[in-house]
């Protein structure tokens, strides 16, 4: 959703507080909040049944002390939203899934995603298990607004945070997931979790950065069909991005969309607050880094989804306009443009 905290991802409260204090009065925001009566973040947007459905995190003031693991992002449930159009009224369908209804869950429902197949809607979610380890679960419903019923166990082989599911034109579906720092991805090695592992990244500055994960989903969308693989991001010379390259390396918040036959892997750089893109010829990668396509929003975290609606492209994202608090965010939407060369045009979310 990182320094060392996480978005439902993560963030550094002190730097965010200073930033919001400095920018609130003199900034003009590119887009208004979509909903103002609850705090929302990490919006995953989809077209279901002729409407735009948004599956965001539900930020609350839980009173949980801030720390570098992002414990103050102590979300307890998901509200599901819908709109008839990007300028239409937002309908809040209420709670679609609560942490208390997930048999294996401990705490912290972070950024979710959704998919539709086989006449069923699937809600994918990260939550810490009862041992405080992030896993990814799945819940199902016959209605895109829920309520969703969670499977009794996490997905076998899943770990970390930020699931994003992409269904290709051939019908195959893939899940991209993972986040470093509070997302715990750096604590996994050869399928084992180290509770005493690094709080940040690999610590190996001149080696390839820890990568996001990708796995093909089974036909029933409830498990992985095959091994979990690394999402390889390379530069123009085919070399993997390094740990020290904080402006470009993957941090969290993966998303996938397809445009003109190419696969666009987009993600957050976390502590440098950019959204970046990398393009490949396969949904499994490798992906060649293209550049930044959204500059920092107000607040520490940045998390997005990209959706085509009636031939036009949009990005759904969040900032902290309503609260000026890094853990109480609000979702927004604005147009997204693909340039003639295939890259994504730079978006400035606010003008100072």
């Amino acid at each position: 959703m990182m320094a060392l905290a996480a978005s439902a991802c993560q963030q550094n409260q002190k730097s965010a507080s200073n930033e919001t204090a400095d920018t609130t009065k003199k900034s003009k925001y590119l887009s208004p909040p979509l909903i103002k009566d609850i705090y929302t973040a990490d919006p995953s947007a989809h077209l279901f049944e002729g409407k735009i459905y948004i599956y965001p995190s539900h930020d609350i003031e839980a009173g949980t002390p801030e720390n570098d693991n992002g414990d103050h992002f102590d979300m307890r449930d998901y509200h599901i939203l819908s709109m008839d159009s990007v300028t239409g009224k937002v309908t809040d369908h209420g709670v679609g899934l609560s942490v208390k209804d997930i048999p294996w869950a401990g705490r912290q429902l972070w950024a979710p995603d959704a998919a539709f197949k086989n006449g069923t809607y699937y809600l994918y979610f990260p939550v810490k298990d009862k041992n405080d380890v992030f896993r990814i679960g799945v819940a199902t419903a016959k209605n895109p607004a829920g309520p969703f019923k969670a499977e009794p166990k996490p997905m076998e082989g899943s770990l970390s945070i930020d699931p994003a599911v992409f269904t290709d034109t051939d019908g195959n579906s893939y899940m991209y997931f993972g986040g470093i720092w509070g997302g715990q991805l750096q604590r996994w090695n050869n399928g084992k979790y180290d509770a005493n592992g690094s709080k940040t990244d690999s610590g190996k500055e001149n080696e390839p950065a820890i990568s996001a994960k990708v796995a093909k989903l089974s036909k029933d969308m409830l498990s992985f069909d095959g091994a979990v693989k690394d999402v390889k991001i390379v530069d123009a010379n085919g070399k993997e991005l390094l740990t020290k390259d904080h402006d470009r390396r993957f941090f969290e918040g993966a998303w996938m969309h397809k445009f003109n036959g190419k696969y666009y892997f987009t993600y957050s750089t976390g502590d440098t607050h950019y959204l970046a893109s990398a393009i490949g010829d396969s949904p499994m990668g490798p992906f060649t880094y293209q550049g930044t396509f959204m500059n920092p929003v107000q607040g520490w975290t940045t998390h997005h989804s990209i959706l085509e609606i009636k031939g036009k492209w949009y990005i759904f994202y969040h900032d902290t306009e309503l609260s000026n608090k890094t853990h109480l965010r609000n979702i927004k939407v604005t147009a997204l443009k693909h340039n003639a060369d295939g890259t994504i045009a730079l978006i400035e979310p606010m003008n100072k």
Side-chain angles (χ1 to χ4, degrees):
M1 114 178 150
M2 304 167 308
L4 306 180
S7 132
C9 300
Q10 317 134 350
Q11 48 218 236
N12 185 311
Q13 176 77 43
K14 292 181 180 178
S15 63
S17 297
N18 291 337
E19 178 183 350
T20 54
D22 290 343
T23 61
T24 301
K25 294 182 179 181
K26 62 183 180 182
S27 297
K28 293 183 179 179
Y29 301 93
L30 178 62
S31 301
L34 290 178
I35 185 170
K36 296 182 178 180
D37 55 345
I38 62 172
Y39 292 113
T40 51
D42 314 317
S44 292
H46 296 270
L47 283 176
F48 293 143
E49 299 184 358
K51 291 185 177 182
I52 304 165
Y53 278 85
I54 306 173
Y55 301 83
S57 301
H58 177 203
D59 285 349
I60 59 172
E61 188 63 85
T64 306
E66 177 196 352
N67 62 25
D68 288 344
N69 292 323
D71 285 347
H72 47 301
F73 294 98
D74 196 8
M75 295 85 107
R76 314 269 172 88
D77 59 34
Y78 298 120
H79 278 237
I80 298 170
L81 313 176
S82 70
M83 311 165 66
D84 289 328
S85 68
V86 291
T87 58
K89 178 183 177 182
V90 175
T91 298
D92 182 348
H93 297 277
V95 175
L97 182 67
S98 174
V99 70
K100 63 183 176 61
D101 298 322
I102 303 168
W104 55 273
R107 63 191 181 107
Q108 293 184 284
L109 276 175
W110 282 8
D113 193 20
F116 175 74
K117 192 177 281 190
N118 313 319
T120 299
Y121 292 92
Y122 300 86
L123 182 66
Y124 300 92
F125 56 89
V127 67
K128 285 180 177 175
D129 64 18
K130 298 183 189 303
N131 294 316
D132 235 26
V133 179
F134 269 115
R135 304 275 188 171
I136 294 171
V138 57
T140 57
K142 291 300 182 182
N143 187 314
F148 286 83
K149 182 177 181 180
E151 293 292 302
K153 295 181 179 180
M155 298 177 72
E156 184 70 27
S158 72
L159 51 92
S160 196
I161 61 170
D162 294 354
V165 173
F166 166 74
T167 299
D168 205 350
T169 48
D170 62 4
N172 289 317
S173 296
Y174 304 84
M175 180 186 288
Y176 305 84
F177 56 97
I180 59 174
W181 294 27
Q184 302 180 340
L185 189 55
Q186 75 280 355
R187 294 187 176 184
W188 286 88
N189 187 28
N190 296 322
K192 295 183 179 180
Y193 177 78
D194 180 3
N196 297 314
S198 171
K199 290 184 177 181
T200 55
D201 52 33
S202 69
K204 299 174 182 178
E205 292 286 276
N206 294 305
E207 293 187 10
I210 293 172
S211 62
K213 305 298 181 184
V214 58
K216 186 178 180 182
L217 287 169
S218 59
K219 290 183 179 180
D220 66 6
M221 302 289 280
L222 299 176
S223 62
F224 296 150
D225 181 10
V228 173
K229 298 183 178 181
D230 290 340
V231 174
K232 184 178 290 187
I233 305 173
V234 301
D235 64 17
N237 297 315
K239 295 183 178 180
E240 291 185 63
L241 302 185
L242 303 180
T243 299
K244 65 183 179 182
D245 192 353
H246 289 213
D247 283 345
R248 301 193 299 171
R249 61 88 173 93
F250 170 81
F251 191 105
E252 63 183 2
W255 189 259
M256 172 61 65
H257 75 278
K258 192 175 184 180
F259 178 75
N260 283 351
K262 298 290 186 179
Y263 297 88
Y264 286 68
F265 180 76
T266 52
Y267 59 94
S268 170
T269 64
D271 56 333
T272 51
H273 319 295
Y274 298 115
L275 290 181
S277 67
I279 300 177
D281 295 319
S282 162
M284 301 291 283
F287 301 96
T288 302
Y289 178 83
Q290 300 297 312
T292 294
F293 70 93
M294 180 176 265
N295 277 335
V297 299
Q298 177 178 287
W300 202 96
T301 65
T302 184
H303 192 117
H304 73 295
S305 60
I306 294 171
L307 182 64
E308 184 181 16
I309 305 170
K310 296 182 179 179
K312 296 182 179 180
W313 290 90
Y314 298 89
I315 181 169
F316 293 76
Y317 64 103
H318 69 237
D319 64 19
T320 61
E321 178 181 350
L322 293 179
S323 72
N324 297 320
K325 294 182 179 180
T326 195
H327 63 293
L328 299 176
R329 297 158 291 180
N330 45 256
I331 61 171
K332 299 185 171 188
V333 62
T334 195
L336 179 139
K337 178 185 177 183
H338 297 87
N339 295 317
D341 63 0
T343 59
I344 303 174
L346 182 65
I347 299 168
E348 291 284 3
M350 56 193 300
N351 296 316
K352 296 182 180 180

